[in-house]
Amino acid sequence: MGFVWHIAVRYFRSTRADAHIRALSTLTAGGLAVGTAALVLALAALAGFQNLLLEDLARHTPALQIEFGRGAAVEGESATEGARHLAELAAATNGVAGVQELLYARGWLADDDRPLAVEVLGYEKAPPPWIPVQPEATSGLIVPVSVALRMGLAVGDIVRVVSPRPGLTPVGPRPRVRTLPVDLIYRSDRAENADDPVLLPLEQASALFARGDRRLDLTLAPEADPERIGDFLRRGIDPAVAMVTTWRQANRALLFVLRLEKGLVFSAVALIVAVASFALLAALSMVLSSKRAEVGVLAAMGAPPARLQRVFLLLGALLSVGGAGLGGAAGAGLAALLDRYRVISTPSDVYVVDYVPFLVRGTDVLVVLAVTVLFTAAAAVIGARKASLLHPVEAMRSART
Amino acid sequence: MIAVSGVTKAYQDGAVRRQVLRGVDLVVARGETAAIVGPSGSGKSTLLNILGALDTPDAGSVRVDGVDLTASRPSALAGFRNRSLGFVFQFHQLLPDFTALENVMMPGRIAGRPTSSLSALALALLDQVGLADRAGAFPQQLSGGERQRIAICRALVLEPAVLLADEPTGNLDSRSGEQVLGLLDTLRRRRDTTMVLVTHNPEVAKRCGAVLRLDGGSLAPG
């Protein structure tokens, strides 16, 4: 054991002997334990909620799409050729398991009584994976349960799909209409399901909504990273022709708010750790005050100021590491228990789960511990600096006065 | 050896500037013992602190064991104190959280010496002063004389070239004081250590090779 450890460990033990220092050091350790536990718990609760939300988003949002509007043609090629080239480029990209063209539009669904404005999605091969139905093409309509309920539809019913843009005929403009059977009704289970689309084959959709919004929808391999593939595709596609969007970019406003929320909660709860660090500074100052003469003797015997400073830095670490470690472990353990036994319940009609989920992330715990170390180190540095600035003669004289 | 030339030192005491040392000159050859006597407040301890690189003079030069203390950086002075100087203080100044043995070992620990050899050396010293059986005791468990003997062992553990003692018997009864002085003399002779001793006690001063009186800030043969 080196000199610094030798002295710091002995001074740490001596903090148990003095009632005032013991009270302060206990307060420090307790404060740090409460602070780190509260931080870990708060982050675990946020991570639990956000994780569910992101899983829901990822399940119901296209992982990666290439949006090309009504044409993807570069000079000298037709729109169809342009789209085909984009599809070939995407399909050849590592990590892309499948590519199909989609058409987004807004139209009406009409039965005998009334029309209902709906989002329409035309698919080329099969319903995309982010729509929770069997990935098999049908010739008719796939209708979300929200639309089916409002129109009183059941599987097998016949409805008309109407385009808002009429077609021109020799006898004047006539509405574009397709009469199709309802083949499937699906439930999306999304937290917000107001805009679940009505699906129909691309061929039918193209005939009705020629000016719809066309996109290539990419199905990715299970381990593929949408952002990395998106970056790769962006390098190969002229941004004037088409736009590559990942699910994170499509939801970037929400993701920003989630990050902001996490940052604000973290900052607020971290104040507990900051206050505990003040207690650490007070404890160190008290130890230094009681050891003032001894520090002077050590300096007189040739201990350099830098090593005396390190003694008190290490003492600060010893006073804080137990509390921070205990708090981190307690916070993580409590979060795991609260999640395992679903202790805190929430109204099931408000959110997708009926309990408060907790998710302890290793990175979150590390960040909490790092912040705790930062606060306590700042406090310890101030205390340790005082020790290094002591004048040996003055310090030793204090023992006699 | 110790060579001090033209050292002055003043303290600011509120609005008053108090001149403590006024051009002090002092030479102590290697292996010699010098006693500095004088009334309280004459600057004896200040001079000793300057010799021990614990304080700096306002003017003049101080060379101890070949090192110019007035031209050295604080970090170098710390190393010098550890390597070349041994201190014995009036109030022993043992570290209460450490045993007698650990206190004696402390200068060696600061120097980074291996603990095993240091421990053997410290135990041998404690044995020489008759305190080997008290090695595991804490200072508060020891008598005043025992504490001062341990402080002497601590001062000598790294075999310093110069030993500085500030009233080493000032806080002891006559029997313990006699023991401590005899011990200092024996150990100093054995190691050919230069010693400067500050004392109020004429009997103690008489035992030294040279006696110097510090009065009015100046040093003169006593």
Side-chain angles (χ1 to χ4, degrees), chain A residues 319-345:
Chain A
L319 284 169
S320 55
V321 74
L326 190 73
L334 189 59
L337 282 176
L338 290 173
D339 188 70
R340 171 79 178 76
Y341 295 105
R342 303 186 174 187
V343 178
I344 305 172
S345 54

Side-chain angles (χ1 to χ4, degrees), chain A residues 127-347:
Chain A
W130 37 274
I131 298 288
V133 292
Q134 289 295 320
E136 290 168 7
T138 66
S139 57
L141 297 174
I142 300 172
V143 178
V145 69
S146 54
V147 172
L149 283 173
R150 264 180 275 174
M151 295 187 69
L153 297 177
V155 172
D157 286 354
I158 304 294
V159 288
R160 280 169 289 153
V161 184
V162 184
S163 166
R165 292 182 66 86
L168 283 175
T169 66
V171 292
R174 293 196 60 179
R176 295 173 197 261
V177 179
R178 285 284 186 281
T179 303
L180 295 165
V182 175
D183 283 348
L184 271 173
I185 292 173
Y186 74 92
R187 182 184 294 275
S188 74
D189 290 332
R190 279 172 58 180
E192 298 294 333
N193 57 8
D195 294 330
D196 286 337
V198 172
L199 283 81
L200 71 169
L202 184 65
E203 191 184 336
Q204 303 277 12
S206 298
L208 284 166
F209 310 102
R211 299 174 72 86
D213 172 18
R214 289 174 182 274
R215 302 177 191 184
L216 289 176
D217 186 65
L218 279 60
T219 304
L220 304 185
E223 298 304 318
D225 176 11
E227 301 305 318
R228 193 186 57 75
I229 296 173
D231 287 342
F232 176 79
L233 287 172
R234 265 181 223 109
R235 287 197 289 274
I237 296 172
D238 181 354
V241 170
M243 187 169 73
V244 178
T245 309
T246 64
W247 74 274
R248 283 193 169 273
Q249 287 168 324
N251 296 289
R252 59 181 176 271
L254 175 66
L255 293 173
F256 171 74
V257 170
L258 293 180
R259 276 200 305 276
L260 186 67
E261 183 189 28
K262 194 172 181 178
L264 289 175
V265 168
F266 186 91
S267 305
V269 183
L271 286 176
I272 302 175
V273 178
V275 171
S277 300
F278 284 122
L280 173 67
L281 177 57
L284 275 179
S285 298
M286 202 167 239
V287 173
L288 178 59
S289 178
S290 71
K291 305 289 181 196
R292 193 175 154 83
E294 296 167 45
V295 173
V297 173
L298 290 170
M301 286 193 289
R307 286 174 81 187
L308 292 173
Q309 190 168 350
R310 284 207 292 277
V311 166
F312 280 83
L313 274 177
L314 185 56
L315 181 61
L318 291 173
L319 284 169
S320 55
V321 74
L326 190 73
L334 189 59
L337 282 176
L338 290 173
D339 188 70
R340 171 79 178 76
Y341 295 105
R342 303 186 174 187
V343 178
I344 305 172
S345 54
T346 56

Side-chain angles (χ1 to χ4, degrees), chain A residues 1-4 6-8 10-11 13-14 17 290-291 293-305 307 391-400, chain B residues 11 46 49 52 54-56 74-75 77-79 81-83 87 89-91 93-99 102-103 106-107 109-112 115 138 154 166:
Chain A
M1 196 189 291
F3 167 76
V4 171
H6 184 53
I7 305 289
R10 201 58 64 89
Y11 281 4
R13 281 191 207 154
S14 78
S290 71
K291 305 289 181 196
E294 296 167 45
V295 173
V297 173
L298 290 170
M301 286 193 289
R307 286 174 81 187
H391 191 278
V393 176
E394 296 298 323
M396 284 190 287
R397 195 171 289 151
S398 70
R400 304 197 292 270
Chain B
Y11 289 112
T46 300
N49 289 337
L54 294 172
D55 208 347
T56 49
S75 56
L77 288 178
R81 282 199 298 271
N82 180 244
R83 206 170 43 249
F87 291 94
F89 306 100
Q90 180 180 359
F91 295 94
Q93 302 282 20
L94 295 180
L95 306 175
D97 296 312
F98 298 85
T99 63
E102 287 168 334
N103 265 285
M106 195 56 75
R109 297 205 73 130
I110 293 171
T115 313
F138 285 89
R154 183 178 67 183
D166 189 359

Side-chain angles (χ1 to χ4, degrees), chain A residues 40 43-44 47 262 266 328 332 335 358-371:
Chain A
V40 170
L43 291 184
K262 194 172 181 178
F266 186 91
F358 288 85
L359 177 66
V360 180
R361 289 199 172 109
T363 47
D364 285 347
V365 176
L366 283 179
V367 168
V368 169
L369 292 179
V371 165

Side-chain angles (χ1 to χ4, degrees), chain A residues 85-108:
Chain A
H85 282 153
L86 279 179
E88 285 168 0
L89 172 72
T93 303
N94 197 19
V96 176
V99 179
Q100 72 164 332
E101 188 177 333
L102 300 180
L103 187 147
Y104 287 77
R106 197 154 174 84
W108 288 293

